[in-house]
Amino acid sequence: MRRTDTEGHGPVRYGPPAPEPGLPVLPEVAAAAAAVAGRSAGEPPGGGPALLAAASGYWDRRGLPVERDRTAAAPGAPPLLLAIGAALGGDVLLPRPCPAWWEPQARLLGSAVYHVPTPAECGGVPDPYALLETVRRVRAEGGRPRLLVLSVADDPTATVPPPEVLHEAVEAAADEGLHVVSDETWRDTLHHPHDTVLVGPAEMDPERVTVLCDLAGSLLPPALPAAVARFPATDAGAALRARTLDVLTALGATLAAPAAAAAAYALGEPEEITGRLTAAVRLHARVAAAAHRALLGAGVLARPPQAGRHLYADLGPLRSVLAARGVGDGQDLEEFLTARLGMPAPGGHRFGDDIDALRVRLSTGPLLGTTRAERLASLAAPDPLELPHVQRALSAFTAAFDDLRAAAERREPPR
């Protein structure tokens, strides 16, 4: 079976940026980090007691109780996933598309990576039948599938898998003896939390699922990288955590004291944190819905965004018009839209999609304003779409795609 081809993905250091909040750092978070900035001692590998206790409380409030000694922390999700992958060994299975940073961690370990198609209704999880078939074929060719990474609130597609779809995927993984890492970085950014049911795989199969959360997704700024993991409460889970800590130690992947202090503060979820998160989610949801309407109006395919700060757009219906502009694949489309929109528009090939597909991830952060004052005004506005700077940004966004739609209509032959 052919593994995912890396040609055309570009160097890792030029990969797409994570969707950023586009909002100033909370003063309380900055103060928590500054309070320990002069401390000479660093955090131990895997995080110190205060941080791990805060992580335990964070999961307990989400119905996933865990002892402090079954958690671990690292300076960002990539080194944490790298350590877990090294501790598990074997081949790695990922949904197609998936976050751009997942695959490089597996390839750094020399692991074979296999992408599995996602169901039609969502991203983030593999189609269960495709997963079973992929595992069967990998084993038939001498491979050793060991790890499945999935997401319950997905980057890049901004979708949340229905519980029944997720359950089937987790059940298929269990049948094949796969360990599951559930990336729940964006679980607290549901656009419509009362209408969207989010259930994590650790609730379905607690003995086989490790939960990973990058705090820069919703709680911390990218300048303070921190991520936490929750391991199964079993002997195998304890052994996996111990091996993961060994790898983090060997890598020197320990949290700086300011980042650890900020992470512990944020995971405690004081009113300042929850208030900012609620307001930020409401803002990004409002802008994402407007951007989604603009895409659909231009004939672009995109699932309704349900979480996070981005959309995943398929410009396949406009292929002929784009071809006339020299756009023939995902890399061409990335360069064309990045220049046209004046904002990052990484192509789908960076997320494991076929490079021939005309797909891009579009972030909402750049639409919130270009200055600190504008972004804070967007955050505080009852309706951010009424603000002049947001209107200008959305108008430019809409115009870029409407121009393509108009060109497609001019090219249509008479009936």
Side-chain angles (χ1 to χ4, degrees):
M1 182 177 179
R2 184 176 67 84
R3 294 200 299 270
T4 301
D5 188 4
T6 59
E7 183 179 353
H9 282 231
V12 172
R13 64 185 182 277
Y14 296 135
E20 294 190 12
L23 299 169
V25 178
L26 268 175
E28 293 83 0
V29 171
V36 298
R39 198 176 80 187
S40 58
E43 290 281 296
L51 174 54
L52 299 186
S56 178
Y58 170 85
W59 275 306
D60 185 58
R61 290 188 294 275
R62 283 153 182 77
L64 291 171
V66 62
E67 297 297 324
R68 188 178 70 186
D69 63 358
R70 295 304 171 98
T71 64
L80 192 47
L81 181 60
L82 176 71
I84 294 170
L88 284 167
D91 302 333
V92 179
L93 296 107
L94 307 174
R96 180 196 298 273
C98 69
W101 61 272
W102 286 1
E103 184 173 340
Q105 310 311 310
R107 294 203 179 278
L108 282 172
L109 298 171
S111 300
V113 177
Y114 300 91
H115 282 276
V116 184
T118 55
E121 60 265 46
C122 66
V125 300
D127 177 89
Y129 299 104
L131 176 62
L132 292 171
E133 176 62 16
T134 301
V135 170
R136 184 192 67 78
R137 293 176 64 185
V138 170
R139 288 196 173 122
E141 294 181 5
R144 191 166 66 92
R146 183 76 179 89
L147 170 63
L148 168 66
V149 188
L150 51 77
S151 178
V152 296
D154 185 43
D155 168 20
T157 66
T159 58
V160 176
E164 61 274 15
V165 173
L166 178 64
H167 185 269
E168 290 176 358
V170 171
E171 192 173 57
D175 290 345
E176 296 299 332
L178 302 178
H179 189 82
V180 174
V181 167
S182 175
D183 181 357
E184 302 188 5
T185 295
W186 301 101
R187 69 167 294 154
D188 295 328
T189 66
L190 298 184
H191 293 181
H192 304 287
H194 298 297
D195 300 327
T196 305
V197 179
L198 188 154
V199 180
E203 301 168 62
M204 301 174 177
D205 191 356
E207 296 187 0
R208 292 179 180 269
V209 177
T210 294
V211 180
L212 178 67
C213 182
D214 192 338
L215 304 186
S218 59
L219 298 177
L220 292 180
L224 292 170
V228 290
R230 176 192 184 276
F231 294 87
T234 62
D235 290 343
L240 175 59
R241 178 183 184 268
R243 293 195 300 273
T244 297
L245 294 184
D246 286 342
V247 177
L248 290 173
T249 303
L251 292 173
T254 57
L255 277 161
Y265 174 80
L267 286 167
E269 298 184 290
E271 185 178 346
E272 295 80 8
I273 288 289
T274 56
R276 163 60 72 87
L277 179 58
T278 298
V281 170
R282 184 170 58 243
L283 169 60
H284 283 281
R286 194 87 169 88
V287 174
H292 182 251
R293 289 192 295 272
L295 292 173
L296 296 185
V300 176
L301 303 177
R303 296 188 184 99
Q306 297 176 289
R309 306 164 180 152
H310 45 274
L311 306 94
Y312 200 58
D314 184 349
L315 279 75
L318 302 175
R319 181 177 291 275
S320 61
V321 171
L322 289 165
R325 288 161 170 75
V327 176
D329 61 21
Q331 182 61 50
D332 294 337
L333 183 62
E334 174 182 306
E335 296 169 0
F336 175 78
L337 283 181
T338 296
R340 193 176 183 89
L341 296 171
M343 57 185 277
H349 62 293
R350 298 191 183 275
F351 306 97
D353 245 333
D354 190 334
I355 193 170
D356 291 329
L358 296 178
R359 300 189 184 111
V360 292
R361 187 192 68 188
L362 302 167
S363 295
T364 51
L367 303 175
L368 307 183
T370 57
T371 68
R372 184 179 190 275
E374 286 182 347
R375 292 166 182 165
L376 285 176
S378 298
L379 188 67
D383 186 356
L385 302 187
E386 294 181 353
L387 296 175
H389 62 271
V390 175
Q391 289 179 350
R392 286 194 299 269
L394 282 170
S395 293
F397 180 92
T398 302
F401 292 99
D402 279 349
D403 287 348
L404 295 174
R405 176 188 54 79
E409 292 175 348
R410 288 195 298 269
R411 291 170 60 92
E412 285 185 356
R415 297 188 178 182

